[in-house]
Every structure is written in C-alpha cells, then in structure tokens.
Amino acid sequence: MTNYKSVTAFAPASVANVGCGFDIMGFAVQGIGDTVTVTLQPDSDNSEITLTGTYGHLTPTERSKNTAGVAINAYLQAIGKSDIGLNITLQKNMPLGSGMGSSAASSAAAVYAVNHLLGSPLSTKELIPFTMEGERVACGSAHADNVAPALLGGFVLIRSYDPLDIISVKGPDDLFAAVVHPHIELNTSDSRRVLNKEVSVADAIIQSANTAGFMVALIKSDYELMKRSMSDLLAEPRRTQLIPGYDAIKNAAMEAGAIGCGIAGSGPSIFALCKGETTAKQVAKIIRDGFTNIGLFNEGYVSQLNAPGTVIIDSVE
Ligand code: HSE
C-alpha cells in the first residue's frame, strides 16, 4: 500500500556522449529540467496526460506516445500494477530536440514520481530500463546515456546494454560544464540517421583508447589527459553539418580555456568541460556569442559535473 496520494518529481537535463563516449557516457545538468506530478485516481481512464509548461503544447497528450507515459506504463507493467488509476501531469519546461535530454527528463521524472507514490518498490537504478522505453518511443533507439544521468545525477558510464551495466563515477568537484542551446530543433532520429553504420578497426581503436583515457582522466582529475581524450570519430564528424557555426564556435571555446568541447547528445546544443566555474561561465558566454553572431537565439547553462539527479519536490499523503 502507498503512503501518498500525489507525488511530484523533478528530473534534470543531461548531456550524452561527452565527446568520446557515443551512447555510453552522460552527465546531469543543473538549472533546467521537467516536472511530473502523479496522483492516485481510481476512476481515471489512464489514457491522457495533462500537459503544462512552456513546451507542453508540443508534446503528445496520449499516454502511449508521451515519453513520460510510456515509461510509467512500462514500470507499472513490470511491477504488475498496470490497472492502477493515475492522473499524470507533465510540466514540460525543456525544449524538444535540444540535445539536452528533454525526453529523458520527462520519463525520469515520471517513473521516479510513480515509484515514490507506490512506496519505492524499486531502486533508482532499477528504474532506468523503463525510462529507456521512453527514449525508444521518442527516437527509435533505447539509449541510456541521457536517462541514466537524469535519474542518478552526476556522470554515468553505460559499460554494457545487454545486460545493462551502469556505473556512476564521481568527477572532480571543480569540473564544470558549459551547455548552450541554440534555438533550432534537431530530432535525435534525424541525427542518428546521418551516422555511418560501419566503423573501421583503426577508428574503433582510437575511439576506445580515447574513451578509456577520458575515464582515467575523470577519476584522476587529470585535465591534460581529459583534453587529449575528448575527441570523437563516431558522431561529431557526421553531425557537425547539422549545427550552424559548429567548428568556429568549438575553436573559440577551446581558445577561451575549455578542456574539451563537443556536441551535446545528438545536438544542436554544444557543451564544453572546464576547470572551475569562472572559466565555464566565460566559455558559456563565448559559445553563446558564437550562436548570437550568426543570428541564433540561445540559452546557456553552467553546471557542476557532479550535479543532482531526479528528486521529489512535493508529496501529499
Ligand atoms: N547517444 C544519443 C545520440 C544521445 O547521440 O544519438 C541522444 O541525446
């Protein structure tokens, strides 16, 4: 039996890939995210979600098509409570197709809220597969590199998808991210379509060496190694064509002191890792200026890499 009638959870934005870890690395971003309220409602017909927030009108109301609803459906089915009556309200604050884990924030907040409502039968880590179903409906691919950091917070490595093996890694406290979202929409499914389907052994060697280098750098706070490792042969070379001004903006961010700079998830947002909050703020401004100079409105965020994951912000007993 539950102790609650209603629970509200907030899940943060996230940056996936982190330069050299396509589909296997991500971190949470403080300062923006989605909020979901679930309320026990025995006579609810369970088919619609109430949408509020800046981007609510752009999100499907049908529970079977909305990432929040899909994640909740998968969760309830897994725990044998599909028939439970629920009202779901999604406050959609995150822009769609931003590269900042918008769909992940919705599904993470949704399952976290409903799990809490039902007395937390599953751990936060056990919720990840249900949020991945949200990603599948959003873009056709059930990647975990946004949902895992959105739920768990901080930096996350997905060592394996089958079986799922997810590892949280605490980064240095003075490691910050600058994340800038230009006002263009890029669907993850389109961004995945431009990728090469095959990778040469030579490229696989370079990519896995950089991924390993990045992990060592994170654990040892070795920023020079991090800088050498933040290079991507899988996604960035194919996706830069989709982001106006990308090469010049990345160069400017590196000249302004970024450790590394790349495409946030599937883009169009750009992220940079920086030592210290002051540098991260300067780099965020440089990236923002780069987009502004080519006529693109944008928003910037600065977040510690060890940012919080999904949290309960309200509950009614
Ligand atoms: N790893 C995914 C991709 C993240 O790059 O397609 C999407 O945000």
Side-chain angles (χ1 to χ4, degrees):
M1 278 300 290
T2 173
N3 296 321
Y4 300 102
K5 290 194 185 91
S6 180
V7 169
T8 301
F10 169 86
S14 51
V15 167
N17 300 338
V18 202
C20 52
F22 179 70
D23 271 1
I24 61 164
M25 301 195 315
F27 61 85
V29 175
Q30 204 159 14
I32 180 169
D34 285 347
T35 298
V36 172
T37 300
V38 288
T39 306
L40 282 176
Q41 187 74 47
D43 55 355
S44 167
D45 79 354
N46 276 339
S47 62
E48 298 268 305
I49 291 184
T50 304
L51 295 164
T52 65
T54 314
Y55 300 96
H57 63 292
L58 299 173
T59 315
T61 54
E62 270 176 79
R63 188 161 146 180
S64 60
K65 293 189 177 154
N66 189 298
T67 65
V70 167
I72 286 179
N73 290 352
Y75 167 86
L76 290 177
Q77 192 175 6
I79 64 161
K81 295 202 170 173
S82 290
D83 56 349
I84 199 167
L86 282 181
N87 277 350
I88 305 168
T89 299
L90 166 61
Q91 188 183 340
K92 188 72 201 153
N93 302 322
M94 290 198 62
L96 311 181
S98 63
M100 294 192 301
S102 176
S103 53
S106 297
S107 57
V111 283
Y112 196 86
V114 78
N115 188 53
H116 195 79
L117 183 85
L118 299 177
S120 300
L122 300 187
S123 70
T124 306
K125 212 171 187 178
E126 286 171 332
L127 301 179
I128 292 170
F130 314 119
T131 53
M132 289 167 66
E133 291 309 312
E135 297 294 68
R136 194 191 304 281
V137 79
C139 74
S141 148
H143 54 273
D145 48 347
N146 288 113
V147 290
L151 275 169
L152 301 171
F155 180 94
V156 175
L157 168 71
I158 297 117
R159 205 278 312 159
S160 161
Y161 274 89
D162 188 16
L164 205 55
D165 185 4
I166 290 184
I167 300 146
S168 288
V169 181
K170 187 179 182 301
D173 283 333
D174 64 350
L175 187 57
F176 282 75
V179 187
V180 178
H181 169 231
H183 286 199
I184 43 178
E185 188 177 330
L186 196 50
N187 293 324
T188 298
S189 50
D190 294 334
S191 256
R192 292 182 83 85
R193 210 166 290 125
V194 301
L195 301 176
N196 287 328
K197 300 291 171 282
E198 307 286 338
V199 177
S200 70
V201 171
D203 282 358
I205 290 168
I206 295 169
Q207 189 81 12
S208 49
N210 280 329
T211 310
F214 184 88
M215 293 310 306
V216 172
L218 196 62
I219 291 162
K220 292 174 71 173
S221 306
D222 184 339
Y223 294 126
E224 281 306 315
L225 174 60
M226 191 174 286
K227 191 171 198 160
R228 298 199 297 282
S229 304
M230 282 185 70
S231 158
D232 175 39
L233 296 178
L234 300 188
E236 187 189 58
R238 304 288 304 159
R239 287 176 169 172
T240 52
Q241 53 178 318
L242 306 173
I243 305 172
Y246 180 79
D247 290 335
I249 291 171
K250 176 172 174 169
N251 287 339
M254 295 304 293
E255 276 170 26
I259 298 164
C261 177
I263 302 170
S266 55
S269 294
I270 290 180
F271 82 99
L273 294 187
C274 304
K275 184 177 188 318
E277 190 173 16
T278 305
T279 306
K281 282 181 176 166
Q282 286 161 354
V283 168
K285 183 178 179 322
I286 293 287
I287 300 174
R288 292 199 64 183
D289 288 348
F291 281 126
T292 303
N293 290 342
I294 54 172
L296 288 173
F297 287 107
N298 55 80
E299 270 111 32
Y301 306 91
V302 169
S303 171
Q304 201 177 21
L305 203 79
N306 299 323
T310 306
V311 289
I312 301 297
I313 55 173
D314 194 23
S315 55
V316 179
E317 291 190 18

